[in-house]
Amino acid sequence: MLSTHNVPAVQAPDRRLLRAFAFDPMSSRLSGQFLTVDIPFETGLRPGPDGELVQVVDYDATRRRWYHPVDLDDPPVLAQDGLRPSESDPRSHQQIVYAITMSVIERFERFTGRRFRWRGDDRLRLVPHAFYGRNAYFDPERRAVLFGYYRADDSDTQASLPHQLMFTCLSVDIIAHEVTHAIVHRMRPMFTIATNSDVFAFHEAFADLVALFHHFLFTDIVEDFVAGSRSELADAAALLSLADEFGRSTGRGGPLRSAVGSAPDPADFRAAREPHRRGAIFVAAVFDAYLATYRSRIADLRRLATGGSGVLADGELSPDLVHRIAAEAVKNADRILGMVVRGFDYLPAVDVTFGDVVRAVITADRDLFPDDSIHLRGHLVEALRRRGIFPPGVVSLADQALLWRAPTAPLSLTSGEATVDLGQLILDSTIKLDPSASSVTAAGNAARERSRAVYAQTVNWAKAHAVELGLDPDAGRIRVLGMHVGFQIAADGQPHPRIFIQIVQRREDLESGPDRDTRTRIHAACTVIANVDGRVAWLVPKPLPFTRPEAIAKLPEPLRTQGREQHAAGVARFAEIREWFGEVEDGDPLAIWLDEPAVGRLTFASLHGPEEG
């Protein structure tokens, strides 16, 4: 009899490989290629898949039918890197939405330097066959991404049959886009309140950027596009376009959106109001910057391959050259997407504008890469300027002019009359970086209790420093919307820890409408960015007019000057909000028929409801 003693345990693998279409069924049918999605191996994954962050619930409400859940830990499934993607097998649909969602979440974790979690014990639900309709959307109320299915349009003759059944859950682009909406809502829940023309447009732009740059995770696919375009990626339309099959099968004649092809014209941005169109201009500018950086980074490779001329000879490119150029394309895509994602933590908590986005991205990147040795910030700022996107009121577009405001006087979370115990916050955040310690346990419950105490301390600190933060000491309740530590990797390869705090204050005295629960909410807010020793590095205020501006004159200096500046900025911001509300009202054809203000109907749900395309 064999002894069971001294037999070492076999550890679970670190990574799981799963297959998906590239980038939708049409592309795979035409190319014969599939994607291999490399994601963390989640132990204890239940059939669904049903894991710690994501739960796939495959119920078809139209047909009133449950589909059998896939078990990704089933040995035959594990042995072949997941099921082979199939339009006719719902289990492969479940596999694809899980794989792409986990891939997107992991990328956010890497760029932001922290473990991503939904609020409390929540998970994101993915419903692959939620309804019959030409759409997929994130529903904040249900905390779910709902994917529709539909019949192809008669005009689609490229790769689909007339009236063929199409599934949005099989499009890698659509999955990545909608999951990013869910992540944005987790990180900035008040970006579902449209207080200017950029709030929803940024939601769309950010989701498009994540989905487009997700293409560059698959080096073999990028190599094919480099070879096919002879290194001119601006000509690789399919690589830089979103949801090609969806666009064609719904009668659009081409991709849903493309990052290239439009000439820079600031007038386009000034005129654009529809969120998808306005966001697409921002996306085009980011890809202008990406392509400019990419060309500069491969110029030496082209010179080496052409004897110094830089002009490639006719014929196919050398496989070695293709491999080197593709590696540069992937690396630069990762770098510029990382800039944008890291900048997210530097955004205001409410009322975001694209000018805010520019300042957030530049401040975050300069914190980590002060030298900007590849001139990526310069390329990005110039590309945005050429399309009319820049912060108002800045004296120049140099880095120093675009940075967020540092406190006028030294400001610390750990000194003064109100202090915050950052030690527990930092310890808990560090523990969460260890995957084996990230599950919800008794220790996790204790950590949540400690977190509540830190939040309460932070509220008291914010009340003590309300004027510096652009909040009104005499107005509504101040609360902490979010607080975390990020360990982002800097240019020297070392983690660069920062504390990010979102503080908000609802101003009901400035709101319009009789129903407190349904009227559009207006908030003052401040994002506080601090070092782990408590010293505040940057403030990102969104002030509103003070209820008692006459009280500012009684404040000691420098608070008096700060109060006057915050009040003046708040007056200007509130005027802009009112002007935007009026513009929405004037442009609403139903305004004369309904008592409800038009801005009250301008919601995230109305923009992404099941009947939208």
Side-chain angles (χ1 to χ4, degrees), residues 579-589 591 598:
E579 182 180 357
W580 163 244
F581 286 176
E583 183 180 327
V584 172
E585 196 77 24
D586 292 342
D588 182 19

Side-chain angles (χ1 to χ4, degrees), residues 53-347:
L53 295 178
V54 172
Q55 180 186 32
V56 179
V57 181
D58 205 354
Y59 178 69
D60 185 335
T62 301
R63 297 179 177 179
R64 298 182 180 180
R65 178 185 302 173
W66 287 95
Y67 294 105
H68 190 76
V70 65
D71 183 0
L72 296 182
D73 285 344
D74 188 31
V77 177
L78 279 172
Q80 55 182 314
D81 293 342
L83 298 174
R84 178 183 175 88
S86 168
E87 293 173 86
S88 61
D89 187 348
R91 294 172 303 170
S92 74
H93 302 192
Q94 301 157 12
Q95 169 182 294
I96 290 169
V97 295
Y98 171 78
I100 301 304
T101 299
M102 295 302 293
S103 177
V104 170
I105 290 174
E106 183 182 37
R107 218 168 184 200
F108 269 84
E109 290 184 330
R110 180 162 62 86
F111 288 138
T112 59
R114 63 181 175 116
R115 289 285 174 198
F116 185 83
R117 292 293 179 267
W118 308 104
R119 290 194 180 274
D121 298 332
D122 288 346
R123 292 178 293 169
L124 179 65
R125 294 179 180 86
L126 307 172
V127 189
H129 310 99
F131 61 93
Y132 183 85
R134 295 179 170 186
N135 196 17
Y137 63 99
F138 166 63
D139 185 333
E141 296 298 321
R142 302 187 211 180
R143 296 187 301 276
V145 178
L146 308 173
F147 297 93
Y149 58 92
Y150 59 95
R151 296 286 178 182
D153 194 272
D154 285 337
S155 63
D156 177 29
T157 59
Q158 178 167 343
S160 300
L161 295 172
H163 304 296
Q164 177 181 336
L165 198 60
M166 315 295 291
F167 299 94
T168 61
C169 67
L170 299 183
S171 168
V172 169
D173 295 341
I174 290 175
I175 299 166
H177 178 99
E178 298 303 336
V179 168
T180 302
H181 276 312
I183 293 172
V184 170
H185 183 65
R186 168 64 181 93
M187 297 171 71
R188 289 293 188 275
M190 290 190 178
F191 283 8
T192 55
I193 303 174
T195 43
N196 66 64
S197 60
D198 285 350
V199 176
F200 288 170
F202 170 73
H203 236 293
E204 295 302 326
F206 194 72
D208 277 358
L209 282 171
V210 171
L212 283 164
F213 278 116
H214 198 267
H215 295 176
F216 290 85
L217 281 179
F218 308 102
T219 305
D220 53 343
I221 300 291
V222 177
E223 288 183 355
D224 288 345
F225 281 110
V226 167
S229 66
R230 295 176 54 76
S231 81
E232 293 294 339
L233 286 186
D235 297 334
L239 182 65
L240 305 182
S241 298
L242 280 178
D244 195 13
E245 182 181 72
F246 179 81
R248 295 182 187 279
S249 64
T250 53
R252 290 170 171 84
L256 191 59
R257 284 184 288 282
S258 177
V260 293
S262 63
D265 184 351
D268 290 343
F269 184 73
R270 289 195 297 269
R273 282 295 180 264
E274 196 282 321
H276 294 89
R277 172 61 190 147
R278 192 168 176 84
I281 297 171
F282 181 83
V283 172
V286 173
F287 270 88
D288 289 345
Y290 167 72
L291 291 171
T293 305
Y294 162 76
R295 292 187 190 106
S296 69
R297 300 298 291 174
I298 68 166
D300 60 337
L301 296 174
R302 289 175 61 109
R303 288 192 297 269
L304 288 170
T306 59
S309 72
V311 179
L312 296 170
D314 293 339
E316 294 186 359
L317 300 184
S318 158
D320 291 336
L321 180 61
V322 168
H323 180 73
R324 290 286 302 278
I325 289 177
E328 200 64 48
V330 168
K331 183 170 70 174
N332 282 281
D334 196 67
R335 177 75 171 85
I336 197 164
L337 179 62
M339 278 182 70
V340 177
V341 173
R342 283 188 291 266
F344 202 103
D345 277 331
Y346 287 68
L347 289 176

Side-chain angles (χ1 to χ4, degrees), residues 335 365 367-373 488-494 496:
R335 177 75 171 85
D365 196 69
D367 267 357
L368 297 174
F369 302 92
D371 293 338
D372 190 26
S373 58
Q488 300 171 356
I489 302 301
D492 60 3
Q494 298 299 314
H496 184 91

Side-chain angles (χ1 to χ4, degrees), residues 342-358:
R342 283 188 291 266
F344 202 103
D345 277 331
Y346 287 68
L347 289 176
V350 300
D351 198 32
V352 67
T353 68
F354 281 117
D356 296 333
V357 176
V358 174

Side-chain angles (χ1 to χ4, degrees), residues 511-595:
E511 297 172 0
S512 299
D515 190 339
R516 178 182 185 275
D517 295 327
T518 60
R519 66 194 184 202
T520 301
R521 300 182 180 190
I522 296 177
H523 296 84
C526 188
T527 299
V528 178
I529 301 152
N531 299 314
V532 291
D533 63 359
R535 288 180 297 117
V536 175
W538 308 107
L539 293 174
V540 187
K542 283 285 181 174
L544 286 167
F546 287 177
T547 54
R548 295 196 306 121
E550 68 279 2
I552 297 174
K554 301 177 182 178
L555 296 173
E557 288 291 358
L559 274 184
R560 186 184 313 148
T561 299
Q562 294 175 31
R564 287 170 175 160
E565 292 174 350
Q566 297 284 22
H567 177 69
V571 169
R573 177 180 167 235
F574 186 53
E576 291 172 353
I577 292 174
R578 291 173 61 89
E579 182 180 357
W580 163 244
F581 286 176
E583 183 180 327
V584 172
E585 196 77 24
D586 292 342
D588 182 19
L590 299 177
I592 61 174
W593 304 103
L594 300 174
D595 292 334

